[in-house]
Amino acid sequence: MKLMDSNLVFKLVLLLSWVLCMSIGLIKCSVTYDSKAIVINGQRRILISGSIHYPRSTPEMWEDLIHKAKEGGLDVIETYVFWNVHEPTPGNYNFEGRYDIVKFLKTVQKAGLYAHLRIGPYVCAEWNFGGFPVWLKYVPGISFRTDNEPFKMAMKGFTEKIVNLMKSENMFESQGGPIILSQIENEYGPQSKNLGAAGHNYMTWAAKLAVGLDTGVPWVMCKEEDAPDPVINTCNGFYCDNFTPNRPYKPTIWTEAWSGWFTEFGGPIHNRPVQDLAFAVARFIQKGGSFFNYYMYHGGTNFGRSAGGPFITTSYDYDAPLDEYGLIRQPKYGHLKELHRAIKLSEHALVSSDPIVTSLGSAQQAHVFSSENGNCAAFLANYDTKSAARVKFNNMHYKLPPWSISILSDCRNAIFNTANVGVQESQMQMLPVSADMISWGTYNEDLTSLDDSSTFTTFGLLEQINVTRDSSDYLWYITSVDIGSSESFLRGGELPTLMAQSTGHALHVFINGQLSGSGFGTRENRRFLYTGKVNLHAGRNKIALLSVAVGLPNIGGHFETWKTGVSGPVVLHGLDQGKWDLSWQKWTYQVGLKGEAMNLNSPESISSVNWMDASLIELKPQPLTWHKAEFDAPEGDEPLALDLKSMGKGQVWINGQSIGRYWTAYAVGDCNGCNYAEAFRPPKCQLGCGEPTQRWYHVPKSWLKPTQNSLVLFEELGGDPTKIAIVKRSVACVCADVNEFHPYIKNWQIERYGKSEDFHKPKVHLRCGAGQFITSIKFASFGTPTGTCGSFQQGTCHASTSYTVLEKMCIGKQRCAVPVSDTIFGQDPCPNVLKRLSVEAICAPMTTARG
Ligand code: GAL
């Protein structure tokens, strides 16, 4: 009982110092650090953190997300600060709605969690322009993220604005608030190296600016090994166990433990197996790391035009423990929760000493931490990617699966192994709901009627963002060519070819009002050459190029100077005269769409045009078309999405709120399975090849009214809006796969808690979504089943009562727990064999459950 007592004492001390700190005047709340850890009110802490970016969900979702994060074992919520949403034009600030960062942090505080505020103001984050407002690019003489006075002045202004806002709301821990850590800049190291002295000067200036703001909490710089004292340099990556801070008196901090990866239109979905993520975290902790942050814990949605780019999808799901919709992703969430519990049970030993490392085999090690008052925690690691290992530690034997770490929070009992996932796996489905779309109407974005007041004409091709200032994704480049009636192609010869060089991101070519073809770059290679036959006629022909930005770059050296739009040359080939270079002739420009100028997406202005009643016209896929419809909000609590598989590319709004960009681009990748054991890289575990990269678009519940919601889409290519459906995200089936306890743990449990206490036995937990019930057991086997969720199979050992036991205990229930032990299944189907219980259960709404 010694272990429990000292853990209890440890917790009580923490609680007491918190209470004392909060009772003004007793002692000052403070955050410092030493070589081992961040020190809060005199206590070294192992801190578990997760990224939740406030603009990527709605304020109505925040409390639930943060609560789930807390339940998942987190101590800290990390967020970047997104400059471009807060200062859309110089000096005009916006901290409302999704941008209400103070409200977000107060929600974190209310939940009893800490916050890490990564101010940047460069944030990367797959966010438009890396978080910089586009106007910043037009400050005279500016050069981003280097020793440049205009940039430094602007950065100082915004950083001070944020710090002062936080101070005025008492948000720093030194003031009794939740913020225990702040970040300046973001991954500046590589950039600094490229820039030499200018980089170094800027970096030291940024550190000095931060420290001078006197927040009373430490500052970090991630991926910046030269970070000057007292700023702590930290690590970002899939693994950070090779990382050591630049001074021996700084703690080892992992600011971005990538829980998955982002997606780009046309690419596959990247999954990171939880066994590997847990392994990476355990490796970091055993090395002496004391603060780690999941990037992302909830990824969320890139609403509006906030996605970075180009080509970052609207979904920023990230395979995070909380999915895009805020639902718990199993088994990721649950397995990490158990990891966190094991780490927390070891906390006292972890913060008390450096590990003593011993070899347990050719690819096996033990890391042992101990404290003066007798706490001991051990991490037993097997780095072998192929074979399990049986190791001997403190005269006991332990089995370690490949690529795994067992945590012994008392140096004796392996309470957790990173590769043994004992928690339920949920498979989600997107179910159509009855929400009829009525009153369809269409409106053509008719480019013949571009009116002169909104266009201008000049010689040559202009850079897109210089013209649009990113007020719209769209820029029209329009010119005309006169074709003589004697051209040979007019008499049956081969049609001429138009070649247009673009620096991205997408281009639609219209010849005399007809879509002639489209071209797209990729994230890696934004430049592309559009080549296509053009159907010209004798006389004047109008060539209209619609250049489309799909998110401004968020990463790369001086990305603010990268060009977007039709760069030229634009050339016609195949005319009798040979090649005709159009690049330097007169071009007429229009920023944005007519429909945008008329605010067609907003319910107030929707009636400003005559929509064609879609029931009266043949709805064939039409490029450059606005569509509108109305629908009533579906019933139920599940999160909602729009199924846009039938559409091409464009943007979508509900009740005037932008859901984001959509694009039914099909994923190209290598989806040949995924083995958790081996160093993870995003290409390793891909899903969804051959499917649209993104088919479903999150519709936040709070954006809906009970009736008459307006849906508006702008479609660039074509598509069938009548097939658009509203779907709800719900649990389809749940699986669990849990080992019975190894005999020695069994004996130890019995010795400690008595035989009758099945409370301490391992259990299969099955839980359907809210309002759902288990309707059938698709698979159940207590014995030696094999396979994974969806493809379980009976092994040589199988208890014949498996199905009946599970059916009896689970059917008709929303959740059930079944102990994994032979007593429950009548008799032991194969004595002296370590058994497991694998189950797959089907979930359905209550009505279906009752038949
Ligand atoms: C990091 C960066 C993050 C994010 C991440 C990838 O390098 O700091 O902001 O972009 O990569 O998701």
Side-chain angles (χ1 to χ4, degrees):
M1 290 290 142
K2 190 168 181 217
L3 165 81
M4 293 192 66
D5 289 344
S6 60
N7 266 327
L8 199 65
V9 171
F10 185 54
K11 280 193 179 138
L12 281 173
V13 170
L14 287 183
L15 189 71
L16 195 66
S17 49
W18 173 254
V19 172
L20 285 175
C21 156
M22 288 305 180
S23 342
I24 307 149
L26 275 178
I27 50 170
K28 193 172 172 341
C29 311
S30 77
V31 186
T32 56
Y33 63 79
D34 65 15
S35 64
K36 286 299 308 166
I38 295 288
V39 178
I40 305 179
N41 301 314
Q43 296 293 324
R44 285 175 175 167
R45 299 292 309 274
I46 298 287
L47 292 167
I48 304 177
S49 173
S51 295
I52 302 180
H53 295 157
Y54 53 97
R56 286 178 155 142
S57 53
T58 57
E60 291 77 7
M61 292 168 70
W62 291 345
E63 197 170 332
D64 179 56
L65 294 173
I66 292 164
H67 176 74
K68 284 172 175 159
K70 184 178 182 180
E71 281 286 294
L74 265 55
D75 306 297
V76 184
I77 302 296
E78 178 275 342
T79 182
Y80 280 129
V81 180
F82 298 87
W83 186 356
N84 52 12
V85 304
H86 294 307
E87 199 178 351
T89 54
N92 294 315
Y93 293 97
N94 180 359
F95 293 99
E96 303 289 313
R98 278 189 293 127
Y99 310 145
D100 192 345
I101 185 171
V102 169
K103 181 173 176 181
F104 179 78
L105 292 170
K106 286 188 174 167
T107 314
V108 170
Q109 182 175 27
K110 202 174 120 210
L113 297 182
Y114 294 121
H116 175 201
L117 194 67
R118 299 213 286 165
I119 299 178
Y122 168 63
V123 299
C124 192
E126 291 70 68
W127 190 259
N128 199 44
F129 222 35
F132 289 127
V134 172
W135 56 257
L136 192 65
K137 174 176 161 149
Y138 299 96
V139 170
I142 206 157
S143 182
F144 285 10
R145 302 180 73 207
T146 186
D147 195 7
N148 167 278
E149 289 310 318
F151 179 78
K152 291 193 302 189
M153 250 185 61
M155 168 162 166
K156 180 167 180 281
F158 182 71
T159 309
E160 283 176 355
K161 171 86 190 171
I162 293 299
V163 166
N164 290 339
L165 172 67
M166 295 303 145
K167 283 186 180 171
S168 70
E169 298 280 348
N170 293 325
M171 284 288 102
F172 290 104
E173 215 275 347
S174 49
Q175 307 171 289
I179 305 173
I180 52 163
L181 215 55
S182 295
Q183 177 178 296
I184 192 82
E185 251 294 338
N186 189 70
E187 296 194 332
Y188 191 66
Q191 170 98 341
S192 178
K193 288 216 170 71
N194 287 341
L195 295 178
H200 188 80
N201 292 345
Y202 162 71
M203 185 276 294
T204 37
W205 168 85
K208 210 166 149 201
L209 162 73
V211 174
L213 293 173
D214 202 18
T215 58
V217 305
W219 287 89
V220 300
M221 281 182 140
C222 61
K223 269 200 179 170
E224 177 50 81
E225 57 192 39
D226 294 335
D229 287 359
V231 176
I232 309 165
N233 65 309
T234 66
C235 181
N236 290 350
F238 288 110
Y239 304 90
C240 274
D241 50 297
N242 281 329
F243 170 80
T244 315
N246 63 11
R247 295 282 181 277
Y249 41 83
K250 294 181 185 176
T252 305
I253 294 183
W254 188 2
T255 29
E256 290 181 26
W258 296 326
S259 56
W261 202 240
F262 58 85
T263 44
E264 48 190 274
F265 286 116
I269 309 294
H270 303 285
N271 270 16
R272 183 171 191 192
V274 68
Q275 297 93 325
D276 173 62
L277 178 57
F279 178 65
V281 167
R283 265 181 108 147
F284 176 73
I285 296 292
Q286 72 174 10
K287 164 82 190 302
S290 54
F291 182 116
F292 62 93
N293 172 71
Y294 295 105
Y295 186 100
M296 302 294 295
Y297 197 74
H298 169 254
T301 310
N302 294 314
F303 295 114
R305 300 195 299 118
S306 66
F311 303 125
I312 298 294
T313 51
T314 293
S315 167
Y316 198 63
D317 178 86
Y318 222 90
D319 194 28
L322 299 178
D323 72 16
E324 176 178 4
Y325 300 84
L327 297 179
I328 284 170
R329 170 169 277 127
Q330 294 288 36
K332 204 165 222 176
Y333 176 93
H335 191 54
L336 294 176
K337 178 176 174 164
E338 294 195 347
L339 165 70
H340 303 157
R341 191 176 56 108
I343 292 174
K344 284 295 161 136
L345 283 170
S346 315
E347 183 173 20
H348 205 174
L350 289 171
V351 295
S352 302
S353 69
D354 289 330
I356 294 178
V357 188
T358 52
S359 169
L360 302 175
S362 57
Q364 294 78 31
Q365 280 184 329
H367 287 71
V368 180
F369 298 81
S370 45
S371 72
E372 276 173 4
N373 51 7
N375 285 302
C376 180
F379 287 59
L380 309 186
N382 178 16
Y383 308 112
D384 195 311
T385 57
K386 301 270 170 338
S387 321
R390 200 174 133 82
V391 297
K392 196 167 170 200
F393 172 73
N394 276 352
N395 286 323
M396 307 258 285
H397 285 101
Y398 298 87
K399 190 173 172 221
L400 305 174
W403 198 250
S404 81
I405 292 177
S406 278
I407 300 179
L408 287 58
S409 54
D410 57 355
C411 277
R412 189 163 166 234
N413 289 289
I415 57 164
F416 179 83
N417 177 278
T418 55
N420 289 339
V421 179
V423 296
Q424 142 179 326
E425 174 171 348
S426 307
Q427 292 191 349
M428 307 301 289
Q429 61 190 342
M430 300 305 249
L431 276 181
V433 293
S434 58
D436 290 342
M437 298 276 177
I438 54 163
S439 316
W440 276 108
T442 67
Y443 175 77
N444 282 347
E445 176 74 25
D446 181 1
L447 57 138
T448 53
S449 62
L450 293 182
D451 77 74
D452 291 347
S453 62
S454 62
T455 61
F456 67 92
T457 300
T458 187
F459 290 97
L461 296 160
L462 302 178
E463 196 281 333
Q464 179 161 343
I465 305 303
N466 286 346
V467 182
T468 64
R469 302 279 166 120
D470 201 34
S471 60
S472 164
D473 277 357
Y474 303 100
L475 179 63
W476 281 108
Y477 295 70
I478 304 165
T479 194
S480 56
V481 289
D482 289 329
I483 299 294
S485 50
S486 60
E487 283 289 343
S488 345
F489 79 86
L490 294 171
R491 293 189 306 278
E494 204 181 319
L495 287 178
T497 300
L498 179 80
M499 293 178 102
Q501 181 71 53
S502 168
T503 47
H505 308 141
L507 183 70
H508 305 306
V509 174
F510 292 83
I511 305 293
N512 298 321
Q514 296 299 315
L515 179 60
S516 183
S518 301
F520 307 97
T522 62
R523 186 167 162 80
E524 289 64 39
N525 200 358
R526 298 174 315 280
R527 282 183 81 82
F528 63 93
L529 180 66
Y530 171 85
T531 307
K533 296 278 179 216
V534 280
N535 197 357
L536 303 174
H537 53 64
R540 180 149 293 186
N541 293 266
K542 191 165 181 180
I543 298 183
L545 309 178
L546 181 61
S547 181
V548 190
V550 193
L552 300 187
N554 55 275
I555 190 166
H558 282 298
F559 62 74
E560 80 272 20
T561 62
W562 299 0
K563 294 190 164 63
T564 307
V566 183
S567 53
V570 177
V571 181
L572 272 176
H573 293 272
L575 297 172
D576 290 346
Q577 69 185 68
K579 111 180 186 183
W580 182 0
D581 190 340
L582 311 177
S583 315
W584 288 101
Q585 61 178 39
K586 261 192 188 168
W587 287 86
T588 297
Y589 292 87
Q590 172 166 297
V591 174
L593 306 165
K594 250 176 68 185
E596 285 180 306
M598 292 187 297
N599 282 328
L600 281 194
N601 55 339
S602 117
E604 291 77 52
S605 347
I606 215 163
S607 51
S608 63
V609 297
N610 282 330
W611 295 82
M612 270 191 293
D613 184 341
S615 62
L616 302 178
I617 50 162
E618 190 196 345
L619 253 190
K620 61 176 195 308
Q622 278 279 358
L624 297 195
T625 308
W626 293 81
H627 300 282
K628 72 147 182 85
E630 272 183 12
F631 64 96
D632 292 347
E635 284 176 2
D637 295 332
E638 293 95 338
L640 301 174
L642 282 174
D643 180 352
L644 296 183
K645 195 177 179 198
S646 65
M647 301 305 287
K649 180 178 183 302
Q651 291 179 39
V652 54
W653 297 263
I654 284 186
N655 295 332
Q657 303 261 24
S658 174
I659 299 289
R661 298 187 182 98
Y662 68 85
W663 188 359
T664 311
Y666 286 78
V668 178
D670 170 4
C671 294
N672 284 328
C674 167
N675 171 12
Y676 82 86
E678 263 174 32
F680 178 81
R681 293 285 168 266
K684 222 185 87 171
C685 296
Q686 305 187 338
L687 291 178
C689 299
E691 298 286 319
T693 303
Q694 185 171 358
R695 170 176 177 181
W696 294 290
Y697 293 80
H698 182 201
V699 177
K701 276 265 160 87
S702 58
W703 291 3
L704 295 182
K705 310 178 283 183
T707 57
Q708 292 188 311
N709 294 287
S710 97
L711 167 73
V712 174
L713 296 104
F714 173 68
E715 169 61 50
E716 295 166 23
L717 298 168
D720 182 355
T722 60
K723 295 217 172 71
I724 293 176
I726 298 200
V727 296
K728 61 178 183 184
R729 187 165 173 84
S730 50
V731 179
C733 62
V734 290
C735 289
D737 188 16
V738 177
N739 285 324
E740 67 173 345
F741 276 148
H742 189 276
Y744 91 83
I745 301 192
K746 218 191 264 176
N747 294 339
W748 178 79
Q749 298 268 3
I750 292 170
E751 194 183 295
R752 210 166 190 180
Y753 305 109
K755 200 165 181 157
S756 60
E757 283 282 358
D758 85 2
F759 166 68
H760 295 286
K761 288 176 185 156
K763 279 182 188 161
V764 150
H765 290 272
L766 299 171
R767 183 182 190 162
C768 296
Q772 287 187 320
F773 292 84
I774 295 172
T775 53
S776 65
I777 301 294
K778 200 170 160 203
F779 182 89
S781 178
F782 176 64
T784 54
T786 55
T788 52
C789 185
S791 62
F792 286 129
Q793 285 182 339
Q794 276 179 25
T796 45
C797 166
H798 169 73
S800 56
T801 50
S802 302
Y803 278 89
T804 41
V805 169
L806 264 292
E807 281 165 2
K808 199 166 143 231
M809 296 185 76
C810 298
I811 291 208
K813 295 189 177 154
Q814 194 246 343
R815 57 200 291 186
C816 65
V818 181
V820 184
S821 89
D822 38 66
T823 48
I824 290 279
F825 291 94
Q827 67 182 65
D828 193 335
C830 45
N832 300 325
V833 174
L834 201 61
K835 289 167 287 297
R836 59 196 302 114
L837 173 58
S838 303
V839 185
E840 181 177 345
I842 306 294
C843 298
M846 176 67 164
T847 44
T848 324
R850 282 184 175 153

